[in-house]
Amino acid sequence: MTGMTTSAEVRECETTSAGVRECGSAGGSVGLARVATIVVVAGVFFLGACAPDDGRTPLIVYSPHGPDMLEAFELRFEALHPTVDVQWLDMGSQEVLDRLRSEQANPQADIWWGAPAPLFQTAAEAGLLEPYAPSWAGEVTEYADSLHRYHG
């Protein structure tokens, strides 16, 4: 039968020292288990390269103030506190509230910076904010919570 091709492929199989049976084509292709291992190792390497640990303490900030103000805040704060790594997420105030609700069982943010007082009040009443009384808390009373959950 000249000129006919077949979809059947000759495979060479071997059993690894771990007892895994790997098969490749006669053309020398790599076994599926090896490909999976290569992908996993490359992924771990890539993720490690993307998030280097420089020993600083991360400070996660959710804020609607926009990237220009947040970048300036990050640079200034880190200059004053070199052991802190400010990481911010720029989003609208309502988005912050929604995100805090969804993260309630596993909070990710350290600070929510900026929102109308009614949103802070809603978050406080829902148990989404922890009390904190900064040294200047007594100077900001108009839009502040008496339990120190937010300061305006």
Side-chain angles (χ1 to χ4, degrees):
M1 303 204 147
T2 331
M4 286 186 75
T5 59
T6 175
S7 62
E9 190 176 319
V10 177
R11 295 194 174 269
E12 296 175 7
C13 298
E14 62 183 53
T15 303
T16 67
S17 59
V20 176
R21 185 166 167 87
E22 293 182 347
C23 298
S25 69
S29 65
V30 179
L32 183 59
R34 277 195 195 137
V35 170
T37 301
I38 291 169
V39 168
V40 168
V41 170
V44 168
F45 175 77
F46 178 73
L47 289 174
C50 289
D53 182 9
D54 61 6
R56 297 184 299 161
T57 302
L59 178 69
I60 311 300
V61 179
Y62 292 173
S63 176
H65 289 303
D68 291 340
M69 184 181 282
L70 291 169
E71 286 173 7
F73 165 75
E74 175 184 6
L75 292 172
R76 179 83 188 260
F77 192 92
E78 288 179 353
L80 294 171
H81 306 278
T83 62
V84 175
D85 176 22
V86 174
Q87 300 172 10
W88 49 266
L89 278 83
D90 177 30
M91 63 184 94
S93 299
Q94 183 62 52
E95 290 174 280
V96 174
L97 178 58
D98 294 342
R99 187 170 181 134
L100 293 176
R101 284 181 178 136
S102 70
E103 294 176 352
Q104 188 169 12
N106 185 23
Q108 301 298 306
D110 297 302
I111 297 173
W112 177 7
W113 176 29
L119 285 180
F120 281 129
Q121 184 175 5
T122 298
E125 291 169 358
L128 301 174
L129 305 177
E130 291 188 22
Y132 175 72
S135 59
W136 46 262
E139 298 172 33
V140 181
T141 57
E142 186 175 354
Y143 296 107
D145 176 58
S146 62
L147 300 176
H148 300 289
R149 296 174 292 186
Y150 62 90
H151 305 275

